Amino acid sequence: MQRRPVTDNERDEIRRRHTAGETRNQIARALGRSASTVSRIAADLGLRFEGGARTAAATEARRLDLAALRRDLVERLYLRAAANLDRVEADAYVRVELLPNGRTVRIVTDAPPAQDERHHSHAIGSYVTSAQRLADVDAEGESRGASMLDRLADVFLGPTNGGDDEGG
């Protein structure tokens, strides 16, 4: 059985219907072509059906929402790091200690005790590292193929695969 050639009109129709949000199968039925033919032509035209063309706008909106959320988290993490550093570098360091009788006492010193400074230093490092990893998600783009959940897990838990594979 000989295949009939794809016309320029069919290519235009595929582009128009894809833009209108029709699925690959809907376009194939409308044109009397196989879904694989429509997929091949769409690929030649630079069109993708992943998740269905009708969901492209919602997917893009979600991607933009997540990018905005990451930017907000980055800013908040840097603010927390700065607040911890400000507390350590303040002229007076205030801490509250629990007494054996269950009461608390407020202690003001010139500098934090070594243990408190270590805790603040660790927190500052964690905040800055997490902020940088979140910023890297946008800098890398979506090219690695790992899901957003994988990337967020890496940000907060560290890489779980030891860096052996390329993601995903």
Side-chain angles (χ1 to χ4, degrees):
M1 183 168 136
Q2 185 157 359
R3 290 194 230 175
R4 61 187 168 134
V6 177
T7 67
D8 288 339
N9 286 341
E10 286 176 309
R11 290 179 185 281
D12 292 341
E13 186 70 7
I14 288 170
R15 179 178 281 119
R16 186 188 67 72
R17 288 176 178 271
H18 180 275
T19 301
E22 290 186 28
T23 67
R24 177 188 63 164
N25 291 339
Q26 288 171 326
I27 295 170
R29 276 192 298 274
L31 296 178
R33 294 285 188 167
S34 70
S36 62
T37 298
V38 171
S39 290
R40 183 179 45 79
I41 295 166
D44 290 346
L45 297 171
L47 307 174
R48 296 169 46 178
F49 287 105
E50 296 168 327
R54 67 187 178 282
T55 62
T59 300
E60 179 63 10
R62 179 70 175 147
R63 188 189 67 75
L64 292 172
D65 287 347
L66 290 173
L69 177 60
R70 283 191 302 276
R71 285 190 302 274
D72 180 59
L73 286 171
V74 166
E75 181 179 347
R76 291 168 55 198
L77 287 164
Y78 278 126
L79 288 172
R80 290 187 77 95
N84 270 267
L85 188 57
D86 288 346
R87 185 162 182 226
V88 170
E89 293 180 337
D91 292 334
Y93 183 81
V94 180
R95 69 183 193 280
V96 176
E97 287 192 10
L98 181 63
L99 299 174
N101 64 7
R103 300 185 81 187
T104 58
V105 61
R106 185 173 180 261
I107 300 172
V108 180
T109 57
D110 292 339
Q115 182 177 2
D116 284 15
E117 187 160 352
R118 251 189 330 273
H119 289 302
H120 286 291
S121 176
H122 179 73
I124 291 166
S126 293
Y127 293 141
V128 170
T129 299
S130 294
Q132 184 58 53
R133 287 181 177 171
L134 280 170
D136 288 347
V137 169
D138 288 319
E140 290 174 11
E142 297 300 322
S143 62
R144 282 185 46 202
S147 75
M148 188 55 58
L149 291 176
D150 290 339
R151 290 180 186 200
L152 286 174
D154 283 352
V155 167
F156 292 109
L157 302 175
T160 56
N161 64 10
D164 289 333
D165 62 50
E166 288 297 312

